[in-house]
Amino acid sequence: MADYSRPNTSAGWDVGVRQTVPGSRKAVWVFLMGEGLPLWLGKTTKLPLVKGAAYETDDDITGRVLSVQPGVDLRVSWRPGEWNHDSTLQLSLKEADGATTISFHQQKLTSRDERKMMLGRWKGVASDLEKALKRQAK
């Protein structure tokens, strides 16, 4: 697992985490948009893959789809209920050598503490996704 975080003068703080998992990009995308959706987005069973579509999770995260390239890339606004601002979350997939790297990149975080909190979240998500996809590959 790789991660990075830094202050970005134009977009506040940002953070990123990458995890390589077994499976094709297409299979990983299907998992992430279906059964695996609650593992990374929050407790929900659907995310409309249409630019501008709103979503809400059972654990009080709201946002809108900003862009989508099915099987490759998804950008959404992402806002927990306790925040007073939106952040931007990008999920990207890249396939190589029979495995797929899942990348989470979150921008527009307002502080070092927010960045630290989100880094912990995305590291946990990446680990959970790796375990789930390894089980599915068996």
Side-chain angles (χ1 to χ4, degrees):
M1 177 186 328
D3 61 74
Y4 59 90
S5 55
R6 64 184 183 270
N8 179 319
T9 56
S10 64
W13 289 84
D14 66 345
V15 65
V17 172
R18 290 183 289 263
Q19 181 67 53
T20 300
V21 298
S24 70
R25 187 176 69 191
K26 181 179 178 182
V28 172
W29 179 265
V30 168
F31 177 79
L32 291 172
M33 296 304 129
E35 178 185 339
L37 189 62
L39 293 176
W40 68 271
L41 185 63
K43 295 178 184 170
T44 188
T45 56
K46 67 177 189 170
L47 173 65
L49 296 178
V50 177
K51 185 177 179 179
Y55 72 87
E56 184 172 354
T57 70
D58 291 347
D59 40 356
D60 203 24
I61 297 168
T62 60
R64 292 200 173 276
V65 174
L66 303 174
S67 67
V68 61
Q69 294 179 19
V72 178
D73 182 82
L74 173 70
R75 290 181 71 235
V76 297
S77 62
W78 195 89
R79 181 184 210 169
E82 65 271 12
W83 287 9
N84 63 1
H85 66 92
D86 288 343
S87 65
T88 300
L89 175 62
Q90 181 171 351
L91 167 67
S92 302
L93 302 180
K94 184 174 183 177
E95 185 175 354
D97 300 324
T100 298
T101 299
I102 303 170
S103 298
F104 292 98
H105 182 229
Q106 189 169 15
Q107 294 177 290
K108 300 181 182 176
L109 303 173
T110 60
S111 67
R112 184 181 304 245
D113 288 338
E114 254 183 33
R115 180 206 56 176
K116 185 177 179 181
M117 178 179 64
M118 296 317 302
L119 179 60
R121 176 191 173 92
W122 299 122
K123 282 183 173 183
V125 163
S127 178
D128 291 347
L129 289 171
E130 179 186 32
K131 290 173 191 170
L133 285 159
K134 280 184 177 178
R135 280 192 306 269
Q136 189 179 54
K138 289 183 180 182

